[in-house]
Amino acid sequence: MSGAGVEGDRERRVEAKYEKLKKEAAAGGYFLNPDEPFAKDLAESLLVNEERYGYAACPCRLSGGRRELDLDIICPCDYRDADVEEHGACYCALYVSGEVARGEREVEPVPERRPDALIEAVAKGELPVAAPQPAERAPSQGAAFGGSSAIPVWRCKVCGYLCARDNPPGVCPICKVTKDRFERFY
Amino acid sequence: MGATKVDGNDKGKVRIFTLSTCIWCKKTKEFLAQNNVAYEYVDMDKLDSEEKDAALAELKKWNEKCSMPTVVVNDSVCIVGFKEQEIREALSL
Ligand code: SF4
């Protein structure tokens, strides 16, 4: 294949990635950065990371190179919604608030929200000693939701979507992240 | 340490810790280039693991969070994130 052909192919893939991100964002009530070249650059970086690591690690954070070290920073990361809410943009500014999307607010640098323990883990190349998972907490509130039903409730760590079923869904119906981004809520 | 030098006018020792995929890092590099500032950058995601350990240890001295971009001027001023105004001030641009 000629160099130009490879370039053209890459451009098409970036375009397709951007369109997909935009469509999914709109479907979930999210907004991409209205600066289209900026958002497309990030779409390309996500493709680069997908190729490099096998998953879309956040383009603006140092990847640990392994899915289990990066689980919270696979795009969309666990911190997106809180940062969009507080700062008007996610850490990379791929996703922005309605205000920013409408041009009523400027994007400013967003401070890193990722906990130090997880940043350390990437530097060390090993997972931190696990904090107790919500699933291990006593299922105290369960009873309030209809008594003895033993059906677990799963929570999407990215968007907060809750569902009561034996296992989390393969893909979050709201924000489209994969099953491994869910935690047991009770 | 896998640093890449970019030619320009000498504004002191300007080093930036970056990621090749990060658009804020890209903007920082472009800003320095547009202002014709000589600098060197280290793309942390392009280093082998030994180089990365060394670069991270160095970065951590300046920025506990080890986030990119981090701009270090003359081994004394550290600017975390692409903050154009602060970079201008540090380099008297
Ligand atoms: S949501 Fe934003 S900050 Fe989070 S991984 Fe994606 S691009 Fe990076």
Side-chain angles (χ1 to χ4, degrees):
Chain A
M1 203 189 282
S2 74
V6 172
E7 269 305 303
D9 185 48
R10 176 135 211 114
E11 243 167 68
R12 267 192 300 280
R13 290 180 53 226
V14 171
E15 195 63 37
K17 178 78 180 171
Y18 170 76
E19 288 303 328
K20 182 164 180 272
L21 287 167
K22 195 165 148 185
K23 202 166 130 218
E24 286 177 358
Y30 295 95
F31 303 93
L32 289 193
N33 196 315
D35 179 345
E36 210 174 292
F38 183 95
K40 281 186 183 165
D41 269 356
L42 278 167
E44 181 167 14
S45 291
L46 287 170
L47 286 178
V48 168
N49 280 355
E50 274 169 20
E51 279 161 23
R52 211 189 263 173
Y53 306 117
Y55 52 85
C58 178
C60 305
R61 292 181 168 108
L62 186 63
S63 162
R66 281 171 19 227
R67 193 177 172 92
E68 58 287 14
L69 287 172
D70 288 347
L71 206 51
D72 60 314
I73 55 159
I74 296 175
C75 190
C77 62
D78 290 9
Y79 316 107
R80 174 185 65 176
D81 289 27
D83 281 335
V84 167
E85 174 83 28
E86 186 177 342
H87 301 289
C90 69
Y91 187 64
C92 299
L94 174 61
Y95 294 95
V96 298
S97 66
E99 271 180 316
V100 171
R102 290 188 297 272
E104 296 161 16
R105 179 178 175 183
E106 291 280 317
V107 175
E108 274 160 34
V110 175
E112 175 61 297
R113 186 182 292 271
R114 192 181 198 201
D116 291 345
L118 296 176
I119 295 173
E120 281 281 303
V122 164
K124 287 204 192 108
E126 48 188 76
L127 280 173
V129 183
Q133 287 297 302
E136 288 156 16
R137 279 195 242 130
S140 54
Q141 299 113 315
F145 286 85
S148 59
S149 160
I151 300 173
V153 172
W154 301 93
R155 175 181 178 274
C156 172
K157 288 191 184 179
V158 174
C159 73
Y161 166 74
L162 294 177
C163 57
R165 43 189 276 167
D166 288 336
N167 288 297
V171 171
C172 174
I174 304 301
C175 71
K176 315 294 182 222
V177 297
T178 48
K179 195 187 195 96
D180 50 4
R181 308 293 293 279
F182 278 76
E183 63 182 356
R184 190 161 166 183
F185 192 59
Y186 64 73
Chain B
M1 204 178 65
T4 308
K5 283 193 187 347
V6 178
D7 291 335
N9 297 330
D10 185 5
K11 291 276 178 187
K13 187 174 170 196
V14 183
R15 285 187 303 156
I16 54 176
F17 295 86
T18 49
L19 290 169
S20 69
T21 49
C22 167
I23 309 307
W24 296 108
C25 298
K26 186 174 153 186
K27 280 186 183 279
T28 308
K29 290 171 184 167
E30 282 170 359
F31 174 78
L32 292 174
Q34 274 160 15
N35 286 282
N36 209 13
V37 174
Y39 69 98
E40 62 179 59
Y41 67 88
V42 183
D43 274 339
M44 306 290 285
D45 57 328
K46 294 272 179 100
L47 303 175
D48 66 31
S49 81
E50 232 169 78
E51 289 175 322
K52 200 191 286 178
D53 287 350
L56 272 174
E58 167 76 16
L59 173 57
K60 206 170 165 70
K61 286 195 261 170
W62 297 104
N63 170 7
E64 186 64 26
K65 287 267 182 192
C66 290
S67 58
M68 275 69 65
T70 294
V71 182
V72 180
V73 181
N74 286 330
D75 290 321
S76 59
V77 181
C78 169
I79 301 157
V80 175
F82 175 50
K83 301 192 182 120
E84 199 179 310
Q85 201 45 46
E86 287 182 34
I87 299 174
R88 275 186 195 286
E89 278 161 29
L91 299 177
S92 334
L93 294 174

